[in-house]
Amino acid sequence: EIVMTQSPATLSVSPGERATLSCRASQSVSSHLAWYQQKPGQAPRLLIYGASTRATGIPARFSGSGSGTEFTLTISSLQSEDFAVYYCQQYTNWPVTFGQGTKVEIK
Amino acid sequence: QVQLVESGGGVVQPGRSLRLSCAASGFTFSNCAIHWVRQAPGKGLEWVAVISYDGSNKYYGDSVKGRFTISRDNSKNTLYLQMNSLRAEDTAVYYCARDELGAILDYWGQGTLVTVSS
């Protein structure tokens, strides 16, 4: 099983600032990496797939990068609606595995 | 629009069984693989199982293998998860999610809560 490790566990950011979230895979997942956003009481929402492709309707302030074992999700200018938990997920091998999440909170 | 609606959750005693359903609409259900993903209270996401578009292929997470069975009825646009020998650690919100792009979960239902407790 591929283990996905996200850092930091919590990120405190002021509105308008940039947020950088990291995700590391225990072995190469090529570009088979997705990012999801989850707000309290809601289902996760797909943000990014293929490591860098934004899903339909996702604002351009969200961007993804990386390949192999190191990945980054960047939110260029945090809006109030972006404060949430973010998960990465690899889909190169079964079982699909998620990282433990990064909570982005208001500083 | 794409909709996935889970049902069947509730409180169940350890060792008992429960069947969850996921009703799909707004897309061609028979063209898509569908996953179950769960989330224990206050915890992260855990992948549970997937079934291919035609039901011919199924994969399970290690924690549920041998106890849970995923199935689908394309004539009813409905996905199922039969959960047997339930344990306290199966307590979670269970989500179904569409997979149109190869294990990328592009639409999710709102989830149904399963509580395993005596």
Side-chain angles (χ1 to χ4, degrees):
Chain A
E1 171 176 316
I2 297 175
V3 177
M4 306 301 293
T5 303
Q6 292 185 239
S7 61
T10 304
L11 188 60
S12 299
V13 185
S14 299
E17 289 188 340
R18 173 186 295 257
T20 302
L21 289 66
S22 296
C23 175
R24 173 177 294 178
S26 60
Q27 64 189 77
S28 177
V29 299
S30 184
S31 294
H32 301 142
L33 191 285
W35 290 94
Y36 300 84
Q37 176 194 67
Q38 187 179 33
K39 298 178 182 179
Q42 296 186 16
R45 177 175 73 143
L46 176 66
L47 297 176
I48 301 283
Y49 63 94
S52 61
T53 302
R54 278 190 302 276
T56 303
I58 300 304
R61 65 180 181 273
F62 290 91
S63 63
S65 63
S67 66
T69 62
E70 300 284 342
F71 300 89
T72 300
L73 174 69
T74 301
I75 311 171
S76 60
S77 176
L78 270 158
Q79 307 297 301
S80 58
E81 62 267 30
D82 300 335
F83 293 96
V85 179
Y86 293 82
Y87 295 94
C88 61
Q89 173 227 338
Q90 68 79 21
Y91 51 93
T92 201
N93 278 347
W94 301 111
V96 160
T97 48
F98 292 91
Q100 80 280 16
T102 291
K103 181 179 181 180
V104 177
E105 64 176 23
I106 300 174
K107 187 174 182 180
Chain B
Q1 73 279 24
V2 173
Q3 274 201 309
L4 296 163
V5 180
E6 302 91 340
S7 61
V11 180
V12 60
Q13 292 179 328
R16 303 298 290 266
S17 299
L18 202 62
R19 189 178 82 157
L20 305 183
S21 299
C22 168
S25 60
F27 66 101
T28 305
F29 182 72
S30 58
N31 285 353
C32 297
I34 308 287
H35 298 243
W36 287 102
V37 176
R38 68 184 182 183
Q39 186 170 37
K43 303 298 183 182
L45 302 171
E46 180 188 11
W47 179 78
V48 173
V50 62
I51 186 167
S52 60
Y53 70 99
D54 62 354
S56 61
N57 291 296
K58 306 173 186 179
Y59 297 95
Y60 298 92
D62 286 344
S63 61
V64 307
K65 204 173 294 182
R67 298 188 299 124
F68 290 11
T69 301
I70 190 170
S71 62
R72 65 191 296 161
D73 185 338
N74 285 348
S75 69
K76 295 181 178 179
N77 288 353
T78 302
L79 172 77
Y80 303 100
L81 186 68
Q82 178 67 42
M83 304 186 295
N84 298 332
S85 304
L86 282 161
R87 306 166 180 167
E89 53 265 36
D90 295 319
T91 294
V93 174
Y94 284 74
Y95 298 100
C96 59
R98 189 183 82 162
D99 167 4
E100 200 178 46
L101 300 171
I104 300 164
L105 308 179
D106 61 350
Y107 285 93
W108 297 60
Q110 282 305 300
T112 187
L113 176 62
V114 173
T115 302
V116 184
S117 173
S118 53

